[in-house]
Amino acid sequence: MRATTASSDLFASLTDDVIASTADTVPVATPSTGATLHELPCSNGDDVRDAVARARLAQLAWARAGFAERRRMLLRAHDLILERRELLLDLIQLESGKTRGQAFEEIFLAASVTRYNAVAARRVLRRHRRRSGIPGVVTTRVRYQPKGVAGVITPWNFALSLAALDVVPALAAGCAVVQKADEQGALSILALRRCFVDAGVPEALWAVVAGPPNEVGETLTDVADYLCFTGSTATGRMIAEKAGRRLVGASLELGGKNAIIVLDDVEPAEAARSTLHAAFSAMGQLCVSMERIYVERRIAGPFQRALVEQLRSAELGPALGSGADFGSLASEAQLERVQAHLDDAVAKGAIVLAGGRARPELGPWCFEPTVLTGVTPEMRVFAEETFGAVASLYLVGSDDEAVFAANSGEYGLNAAVLAGSGRRARRIADALQAGSVNINEGYRASFASVAAPMGGVKQSGLGRRNGPEGLLRFVDPVTVAAATGLLQLPRTAREYETRMPLLLALARALKALRRR
Ligand code: NAD
């Protein structure tokens, strides 16, 4: 196992930053051994309210600081993320059990999103003129008012990068953040936050709370000015109801049952390699991982053989470092969930094509990446999100059948097409119902495109992160329009009567000139 600079002293110093006045802690175990890695302090409702109050104060100065100052600090934080990568990689691996390659994807994404938002915020959010309703008579400008304190709630699976996807645009837009971190992943989040604090971002501007979701999470949803939630569709629905009652905005990044389509003009071994990465790179514990594989009949035999062969020769394990192809499931609860989905499918007649066994000799929650065939609608794995290590393979007879099958179900987060012909792939991509579609890649092409929106359709979410859309979540547009005095707008009945012909002529002229 690779030696790490992460130590219990470091963990204690990081968890000191959690806003928690109670003496309560919760033990957090590492997937590498199952032993307790550290004790995470628990916040209570008062801690959340205090953190929001302090963040609200800090936000006033942050909003006044302006784009240039914020950009300078965020770009410095970007550099610190890259400089501290080895420590961040160790923490991610220790907390999640994922491979170093996957951990690197998190860091790369966090740096990209920081750079994008630092640079793009001014262009997207600066005050600008809009075409006025009555040219010459009225001038119109729009400015963007930061919403205040964003409440960010994140899950355990991609703790560091998912934090960055919501926190950084909020900061770049001039907001403050109070984040409820999931227990597993809190160290990675706190170490990421340190990069920003050391770059000059005031401590109170990004506060981290942790602890029981029904107290800490719910208090945050009661008091924040905007809510960013990433997690299951069931919890997302509750957050949306609360936001609705309070009439505050919310972006919801929820579950998926993502489909990858393998067309019959691909090279089977290459397509199998891409499919396995798309399905199991984080042991399937990634919102955009593939759980349904639709392969065209003509290529199904060689594709299936390549899939099984590659899985048999893959290396599995939760050790620190770059050795393994696939890591571990993140927790005992995850192992139980995966086993339950698999047992249900097998009991109802599914066939295990590859994998299908727990591997406790490698790590307490290690499980072989599993591909099933013969999956039918009464099995849980058919339409329910497993969120770990199990994917189902289906044969389809045509492109249209593949699209129809991929679009079935209640989710619409991510989809992918593996194709030899770009034209055929794009035609299919245009017909898929998902917030992102990847061609000849599982998820990284869209995941890495931080200037483009990311989110879900159907039950996979509301709102978008990344791109201008991701920044615009955190501001209220304010229209400032002024009468120029060139022509007095009518105020009395007589004035309306005399000006009406002129205004009608103006409306006709604007249409003739094709002015909006
Ligand atoms: P979850 O909904 O159980 O928990 C997510 C977060 O919400 C955790 O921090 C949890 O403590 C908190 N929470 C739970 N109940 C709460 C409440 N009542 N009020 C406020 N906060 C509350 O989800 P999970 O099991 O931790 O994560 C896995 C799910 O997240 C999967 O469905 C996965 O697809 C989804 N996910 C989606 C995305 C995306 O971008 N769409 C990304 C990652 C994960």
Side-chain angles (χ1 to χ4, degrees), residues 153-158 162 165 180-183 211-214 216-218 221 229-236 238-239 252-256 286-288 334 337 385 387 411 413 447 454-456 460 465:
I153 300 175
T154 46
W156 47 267
N157 68 320
F158 261 57
L162 292 173
L165 287 172
K180 184 215 158 294
D182 197 274
E183 291 144 20
N214 50 358
V216 176
E218 296 210 9
T221 55
F229 174 77
T230 308
S232 63
T233 296
T235 315
M238 292 191 318
I239 305 272
L252 307 166
E253 301 285 344
L254 309 178
L286 172 58
C287 53
V288 286
Q334 276 298 101
R337 181 182 171 122
E385 182 185 38
F387 208 58
Y411 293 113
L413 189 61
F447 223 34
M454 173 194 173
S460 289
R465 356 168 120 113

Side-chain angles (χ1 to χ4, degrees), residues 132-441:
S132 86
I134 315 176
V137 180
V138 167
T139 60
T140 309
R141 284 187 171 76
V142 173
R143 71 176 167 82
Y144 293 105
Q145 176 83 32
K147 282 184 189 283
V149 179
V152 172
I153 300 175
T154 46
W156 47 267
N157 68 320
F158 261 57
L160 182 137
S161 53
L162 292 173
L165 287 172
D166 284 334
V167 173
V168 179
L171 296 179
C175 285
V177 170
V178 175
Q179 179 181 10
K180 184 215 158 294
D182 197 274
E183 291 144 20
Q184 203 167 358
L187 288 176
S188 304
I189 290 169
L190 291 162
L192 176 71
R193 175 182 172 275
R194 279 277 174 90
C195 295
F196 286 76
V197 169
D198 292 346
V201 171
E203 296 252 8
L205 205 68
W206 178 357
V208 174
V209 289
N214 50 358
E215 182 173 1
V216 176
E218 296 210 9
T219 307
L220 187 56
T221 55
D222 282 341
V223 294
D225 304 317
Y226 183 81
L227 303 172
C228 299
F229 174 77
T230 308
S232 63
T233 296
T235 315
R237 202 170 273 124
M238 292 191 318
I239 305 272
E241 279 170 17
K242 271 196 157 189
R245 272 201 300 279
R246 291 185 54 223
L247 291 178
V248 298
S251 64
L252 307 166
E253 301 285 344
L254 309 178
K257 186 77 188 172
N258 309 304
I260 185 165
I261 296 175
V262 184
L263 299 186
D264 57 12
D265 59 351
V266 294
E267 201 285 298
E270 275 301 302
R273 191 158 288 112
S274 297
T275 302
L276 291 181
H277 182 271
F280 302 124
S281 60
M283 288 301 286
Q285 302 166 118
L286 172 58
C287 53
V288 286
S289 287
M290 296 299 158
E291 296 197 5
R292 296 181 291 153
I293 306 164
Y294 295 104
V295 57
E296 293 195 327
R297 236 177 227 112
R298 211 171 64 81
I299 203 173
F303 173 79
Q304 208 166 296
R305 278 193 294 281
L307 211 65
V308 172
E309 233 165 69
Q310 289 172 20
L311 269 182
R312 279 207 188 114
S313 59
E315 242 179 76
L316 191 65
L320 281 191
S322 302
D325 300 304
F326 301 109
S328 167
L329 292 170
S331 63
E332 188 156 358
Q334 276 298 101
L335 179 64
E336 282 167 8
R337 181 182 171 122
V338 166
Q339 190 71 61
H341 273 224
L342 180 63
D343 291 348
D344 171 77
V346 170
K348 291 172 182 161
I351 295 160
V352 177
L353 203 60
R357 284 183 310 147
R359 298 290 297 275
E361 76 281 12
L362 299 175
W365 307 316
C366 270
F367 197 91
E368 290 173 351
T370 302
V371 181
L372 299 176
T373 56
V375 171
T376 52
E378 59 278 4
M379 300 173 191
R380 292 179 71 185
V381 289
F382 184 81
E384 228 182 276
E385 182 185 38
T386 305
F387 208 58
V390 180
S392 310
L393 187 131
Y394 305 89
L395 269 49
V396 287
S398 67
D399 294 9
D400 284 349
E401 192 187 329
V403 169
F404 184 81
N407 284 344
S408 64
E410 59 176 348
Y411 293 113
L413 189 61
N414 183 37
V417 193
L418 303 183
S421 145
R423 197 159 193 224
R424 200 169 152 202
R426 280 192 296 278
R427 199 178 54 76
I428 289 180
D430 286 348
L432 287 170
Q433 294 165 358
S436 54
V437 181
N438 289 267
I439 295 177
N440 290 336
E441 230 300 310

